[in-house]
Amino acid sequence: MVGSKVRLEDRECPLSTALGYVGEWWTLLILHDVFDGYTRFDQFQENLGISTSMLTARLRALVDDGLLEKRPYQQRPVRHEYVLTDLGRSLRPVLVALAAWGNSRLAPEQRSMVLVDAGTRREVEPVLVDAATGRRVDGDGFVFAAGPAASSAFRERYPEAAPGPAGDASGEGRTRVPPRS
Amino acid sequence: MVGSKVRLEDRECPLSTALGYVGEWWTLLILHDVFDGYTRFDQFQENLGISTSMLTARLRALVDDGLLEKRPYQQRPVRHEYVLTDLGRSLRPVLVALAAWGNSRLAPEQRSMVLVDAGTRREVEPVLVDAATGRRVDGDGFVFAAGPAASSAFRERYPEAAPGPAGDASGEGRTRVPPRS
DNA sequence: CAGTATCCTGTCCGATACTG
DNA sequence: CAGTATCGGACAGGATACTG
């Protein structure tokens, strides 16, 4: 993300917000390792081939952002392990969606990793659906719409969302501005 | 990744593969604009506040990668529009998942954009489920497993995926629980 | 083992200027 | 309007060396 933490603006594009957390190249890869049960510095390093300085920086960012928790698992010398917070865990769908797309780009024989049912060990095909109705949201039956904090420009373009509690009529300024450094 | 396109190795982590396409900061933001119906250079520029050189570079990469198609919509002077390819469209779940997570990080009043049912205009909560069974895949009932191309190191760590028959590639119409939109 | 510190390269990215 | 070309800054990221 261009500069670094620019998050928490008044109004923000959710995509920018998300990218502020996981926009860096290594971040999702590290997170994936953690989801797989790895917890330690050298494990990440070996699995990913990332340099020590970068790994240090990324882990720190992850911890600062509240996605990972760093805690000592032994004293003298003090050693830490990195574990997911609830917030970090909530990123799993993103990881899975991205991995699924990546796999779709690879020939089946090239797939090094697939998502399986832990019980049956059968490969699954993850799809996004509306939690309320179960309908797939990839078609054109679903669109993005202006939310409560949409700028007026945004609002012009998009129809309003549902029966708004409509705290609208607020100011403006652009949403969807990329983070400045 | 690091150096840019390093894609198409023999074995590849699907996440790396995906990030090779959409790992750059601006890429997903541009794609989102396209999903919203924008097609032209200046529209992207205005919406995103991206510099011309970067926009040019990103659009070119997107076109080279086959996510966007560039086609002239007028001659003299020749002007182009950028439209999604099928491949580009297939990224929608990733975008939606990421946006949903971003929104979850924002107070409801800060949300500038939400996903709604195009018909009812009611906001939806997208969740990832197994296409075959409809079960949510965010819990621990689903894990990543070694695929056909897993390295030996990877294979040591992960149990294999479903037993060979996996003829799943063949016809066998999977009953998609969720109806098409 | 788990980092920290330093140096260096590549490139992401914006700003500006120019073109058909 | 839709870019191309060039410049320069900031930082991602690797390599190496060092520490407790």
Side-chain angles (χ1 to χ4, degrees):
Chain A
M1 83 196 96
V2 172
S4 263
K5 329 276 117 155
V6 190
R7 199 168 310 149
L8 276 188
E9 300 263 331
D10 241 8
R11 279 163 273 100
E12 186 105 39
C13 169
L15 275 177
S16 303
T17 302
L19 289 173
Y21 286 82
V22 296
E24 309 290 340
W25 215 95
W26 288 113
T27 308
L28 285 172
L29 271 346
I30 294 172
L31 245 17
H32 171 240
D33 259 39
V34 183
F35 272 112
D36 277 348
Y38 296 99
T39 60
R40 283 155 57 176
F41 196 91
D42 67 323
Q43 295 176 320
F44 302 139
Q45 209 171 4
E46 176 174 346
N47 292 339
L48 303 174
I50 186 178
S51 68
T52 63
S53 46
M54 239 332 96
L55 181 53
T56 299
R58 289 287 142 264
L59 284 175
R60 189 205 313 275
L62 250 4
V63 170
D64 288 350
D65 286 349
L67 301 182
L68 251 34
E69 187 193 350
K70 173 183 187 171
R71 60 182 184 209
Y73 65 91
Q74 79 169 36
Q75 304 293 338
R76 167 174 284 99
V78 56
R79 292 286 176 265
H80 301 94
E81 60 181 351
Y82 299 86
V83 296
L84 287 166
T85 61
D86 284 342
L87 182 57
R89 242 183 306 276
S90 71
L91 266 170
R92 191 151 206 270
V94 172
L95 231 22
V96 170
L98 206 52
W101 188 85
N103 266 335
S104 75
R105 297 272 64 213
L106 296 170
E109 308 76 36
Q110 288 181 322
R111 293 178 189 156
S112 59
M113 183 183 92
V114 296
L115 189 70
V116 301
D117 181 311
T120 68
R121 307 221 63 78
R122 194 174 306 276
E123 188 172 349
V124 304
E125 179 197 353
V127 296
L128 262 195
V129 302
D130 174 7
T133 67
R135 288 166 53 212
R136 298 177 70 135
V137 298
D138 14 31
D140 29 338
F142 296 87
V143 297
F144 287 113
S151 66
S152 53
F154 198 71
R155 205 174 294 279
E156 276 170 31
R157 156 106 208 161
Y158 286 114
E160 292 288 328
D168 65 87
S170 51
E172 65 190 67
R174 12 196 339 161
T175 69
R176 328 177 64 204
V177 176
R180 270 292 301 124
S181 68
Chain B
M1 69 174 305
V2 170
S4 265
K5 327 278 116 153
V6 191
R7 198 171 311 151
L8 276 188
E9 301 261 329
D10 238 10
R11 280 167 273 99
E12 185 101 43
C13 168
L15 275 178
S16 305
T17 302
L19 289 173
Y21 285 82
V22 296
E24 310 290 340
W25 215 98
W26 287 113
T27 307
L28 284 172
L29 270 346
I30 295 172
L31 245 17
H32 171 240
D33 259 40
V34 183
F35 271 112
D36 278 347
Y38 296 99
T39 60
R40 284 155 56 176
F41 196 91
D42 66 323
Q43 296 176 321
F44 302 139
Q45 211 171 2
E46 177 174 346
N47 291 340
L48 304 174
I50 186 178
S51 68
T52 63
S53 47
M54 235 339 89
L55 181 54
T56 299
R58 289 288 143 262
L59 285 175
R60 191 206 313 275
L62 250 5
V63 170
D64 287 350
D65 285 349
L67 300 182
L68 250 35
E69 187 192 350
K70 174 184 187 170
R71 60 183 185 208
Y73 66 90
Q74 80 168 35
Q75 303 293 339
R76 157 175 287 101
V78 58
R79 293 286 175 268
H80 302 94
E81 61 180 352
Y82 299 86
V83 296
L84 287 166
T85 61
D86 285 342
L87 182 58
R89 241 183 306 277
S90 71
L91 266 170
R92 193 153 203 268
V94 172
L95 231 19
V96 170
L98 207 52
W101 188 84
N103 266 335
S104 77
R105 297 272 65 215
L106 295 170
E109 308 76 35
Q110 290 181 320
R111 294 177 189 157
S112 59
M113 184 184 91
V114 296
L115 188 70
V116 301
D117 182 310
T120 67
R121 307 220 64 76
R122 193 174 307 275
E123 187 172 349
V124 304
E125 180 199 353
V127 295
L128 261 195
V129 303
D130 173 9
T133 66
R135 287 166 53 213
R136 297 178 69 134
V137 300
D138 7 35
D140 31 339
F142 297 87
V143 296
F144 288 112
S151 64
S152 53
F154 197 72
R155 206 174 290 280
E156 276 170 33
R157 157 107 206 159
Y158 286 115
E160 293 289 328
D168 52 38
S170 62
E172 135 237 349
R174 298 178 111 103
T175 43
R176 309 251 141 117
V177 163
R180 286 274 301 130
S181 68

